Amino acid sequence: MMGMLKSAAALGLVAIVGTALLTGVDTLTAERIAAQERRVMLEQLGEIIPDHYDNAILEDRIAFRDEAHFPRGQWVTAYRARQRGEPVAVVLKFNAVNGYNGNIALLAGINADGTLRGVRVTAHKETPGLGDAIEVEKSDWINHFSGKSLASPETAGWAVKRDGGAFDQFTGATITPRAVVDAVRLALEYFSVNQAFLFDTAADPAGSSAP
Amino acid sequence: MSYGRIFRDGLWQQNTGLVVLLGLCPLLAVSATVVNAIGLGLATTLTLIFSNLAVSLTRGILRPEIRIPAFVLIIASVVTVIQLLMQAWFHDLYRILGIFIPLIVTNCAIIGRAEAFASRNTALPSVVDGLSTGLGFLLALVMLGAFRELAGYGTLMRQASLMFGEWGESLQLTVIPNHPGFLLALLPPGAFIGLGLLIAGRNWLDSHLAHRQQTRGDTTGNPVITVPAE
């Protein structure tokens, strides 16, 4: 009986010391980790957002869901860039769900006039050497989205060339670029219908649902 | 047990990656480049040192029936601390190593050293054991990483800036210019093939050295050992 209690006390002690250590380190590092994550996010946004905005783009954001355009119940985050209160562009953070191997995390910057500023892949598990040409470091394929809109190319063109569209596929990998092209087109379609909501300053900054 | 012996065991005789074959999951998964290998190897070494230290210090109060849960608690705490520190100071490297940092907890080599060594020894030898086991694991990781990166990309130390900052960019060595890329080396099969070659190389070296020692015994006039080397 005493032995059991002693064991329990020893185990409890280890747990308490461990928890105290973690709490301490977490308190010490929380600020720095948050700053690092901000820096990474700003670096990623910086590549596809214009220079002429004057709001705090990381804080000026909304999250929403829309099954028709962003399937599988995902939450989409929209970062809004404004100049003197006027909408300049929005960056949507969402996933392409039809990749070869899991989700492809995308950032799409869309100008207020509906043209694409640019698209970036922030995380994916596509095959190295085949599907990973969607990364800007590996090829400039992703840059071909810049300047495109729903009007140019027209709807039929929003597909890879094998499907009769305007976008290149890669040698040995059609599924990956097809997934990205489809997801970006759906995002543009969402933007064209819901632009007012996306730029609405009154919209609840966190967790509001789509209109 | 002498410190020299502990070092020889950890680095070579009982090398975690090449002899004992523990912790193969991270070894195979994170060895596509040298920089990733160094990052995970150092994190694992730190974990081993501090978990061995904590286990050796608490071995008086930990009765056998709660030893394993206590080890798990200690190791998980140490790994989480290292994860937080990496996230704060080596954020870009952390983003690449990602899930494999928390998964250090499941590296059997760590609980293995806690159980087999640290729970039976005092603090200093336990720290030395953690250091040498960790360095042995790092050595295996870096050799496998060098092999795969060389075959796969034709470079060494690519993306070194993730670990060393701006200065790291000058560390990258292009060994094979215009290398078209060799996918097999970068995918999981390449890791298994590379590890197999490393183990074979290590065994060959060991038997070669043993053989040399034997023939040297001959020339110094010692009695000839007739047992075959292999």
Side-chain angles (χ1 to χ4, degrees):
Chain A
M1 187 62 200
M2 270 315 283
M4 246 157 81
L5 282 179
K6 262 190 188 158
S7 291
L11 202 52
L13 189 71
V14 172
I16 289 171
V17 172
T19 312
L21 182 72
L22 288 186
T23 314
V25 175
D26 182 48
T27 316
L28 283 176
T29 53
E31 208 170 304
R32 211 184 147 86
I33 291 173
Q36 292 272 25
E37 277 164 359
R38 256 185 84 91
R39 176 185 63 79
V40 169
M41 194 68 216
L42 267 179
E43 270 174 24
Q44 287 172 343
L45 288 182
E47 292 185 13
I48 50 173
I49 210 71
D51 302 324
H52 55 283
Y53 66 93
D54 54 12
N55 61 331
I57 185 166
L58 281 186
E59 278 72 40
D60 194 350
R61 63 173 195 266
I62 49 168
F64 61 90
R65 288 199 281 195
D66 184 285
E67 193 61 28
H69 297 91
F70 305 102
R72 305 208 189 151
Q74 58 176 304
W75 282 95
V76 181
T77 311
Y79 299 91
R80 287 90 62 94
R82 305 173 199 277
Q83 171 95 337
R84 280 182 240 99
E86 288 297 307
V88 176
V90 63
V91 176
L92 297 178
K93 182 168 177 275
F94 60 102
N95 290 326
V97 296
N98 292 325
Y100 188 68
N101 187 16
N103 287 341
I104 303 170
L106 294 170
L107 286 174
I110 306 172
N111 289 320
D113 65 3
T115 57
L116 274 168
R117 281 211 73 85
V119 179
R120 284 291 178 276
V121 174
T122 56
H124 72 87
K125 298 191 281 290
E126 303 301 299
T127 318
L130 296 173
D132 66 352
I134 51 176
E135 288 175 35
V136 71
E137 291 85 6
K138 300 270 159 67
S139 86
D140 73 338
W141 180 82
I142 201 87
N143 289 326
H144 291 139
F145 282 103
S146 307
K148 298 276 198 300
S149 69
L150 284 180
S152 147
E154 284 172 22
T155 320
W158 277 92
V160 293
K161 283 185 177 149
R162 173 176 291 177
D163 303 336
F167 293 89
D168 288 328
Q169 61 265 0
F170 314 134
T171 316
T174 314
I175 295 174
T176 308
R178 188 186 281 153
V180 175
V181 170
D182 281 351
V184 172
R185 177 180 53 82
L186 283 169
L188 280 175
E189 283 174 4
Y190 179 87
F191 178 86
S192 70
V193 182
N194 297 291
Q195 188 172 7
F197 163 75
L198 281 174
F199 283 116
D200 189 357
T201 41
D204 180 5
S208 66
S209 49
Chain B
M1 199 189 269
S2 74
Y3 290 117
R5 176 78 195 284
I6 296 176
F7 248 99
R8 263 218 321 279
D9 272 356
L11 273 179
W12 189 255
Q13 301 294 354
Q14 297 296 322
N15 186 297
T16 331
L18 301 180
V19 180
V20 190
L21 302 184
L22 286 178
L24 286 191
C25 163
L27 183 76
L28 295 171
V30 187
S31 56
T33 68
V34 177
V35 169
N36 288 3
I38 295 176
L40 187 82
L42 287 179
T44 308
T45 305
L46 279 178
T47 309
L48 271 162
I49 292 174
F50 286 105
S51 73
N52 265 10
L53 177 67
V55 167
S56 69
L57 289 177
T58 50
R59 89 202 124 96
I61 62 164
L62 295 181
R63 298 156 57 90
E65 62 268 25
I66 57 158
R67 225 167 46 212
I68 299 297
F71 291 168
V72 173
L73 272 172
I74 289 171
I75 295 169
S77 307
V78 170
V79 169
T80 312
V81 167
I82 290 173
Q83 181 189 354
L84 286 170
L85 294 177
M86 268 189 91
Q87 230 175 329
W89 274 277
F90 298 97
H91 197 79
D92 292 321
L93 185 66
Y94 172 79
R95 283 176 56 222
I96 288 198
L97 295 180
I99 186 68
F100 288 99
I101 296 297
L103 275 184
I104 292 176
V105 177
T106 64
N107 186 333
C108 310
I110 294 165
I111 202 159
R113 292 326 288 170
E115 169 71 22
F117 196 97
S119 66
R120 289 150 208 214
N121 286 282
T122 48
L124 193 57
S126 298
V127 168
V128 174
D129 178 72
L131 177 68
S132 63
T133 308
L135 289 181
F137 188 63
L138 175 73
L139 183 76
L141 260 169
V142 168
M143 285 197 294
L144 189 53
F147 166 78
R148 293 178 67 190
E149 189 181 328
L150 210 54
Y153 295 109
T155 61
L156 284 174
M157 298 292 286
R158 59 187 280 118
Q159 297 181 313
S161 54
L162 293 177
M163 190 178 292
F164 305 106
E166 300 274 302
W167 173 73
E169 297 200 358
S170 56
L171 284 177
Q172 176 169 336
L173 211 67
T174 307
V175 182
I176 309 168
N178 302 322
H179 187 51
F182 182 51
L183 196 54
L184 178 68
L186 302 175
L187 292 175
F192 280 99
I193 295 168
L195 184 67
L197 291 175
L198 275 183
I199 294 173
R202 190 207 163 278
N203 287 349
W204 175 82
L205 198 62
D206 245 11
S207 68
H208 184 72
L209 288 177
H211 191 71
R212 268 226 329 230
Q213 221 154 26
Q214 211 179 346
T215 45
R216 193 184 300 146
D218 234 4
T219 54
T220 50
N222 291 335
V224 179
I225 308 160
T226 46
V227 181
E230 273 82 23

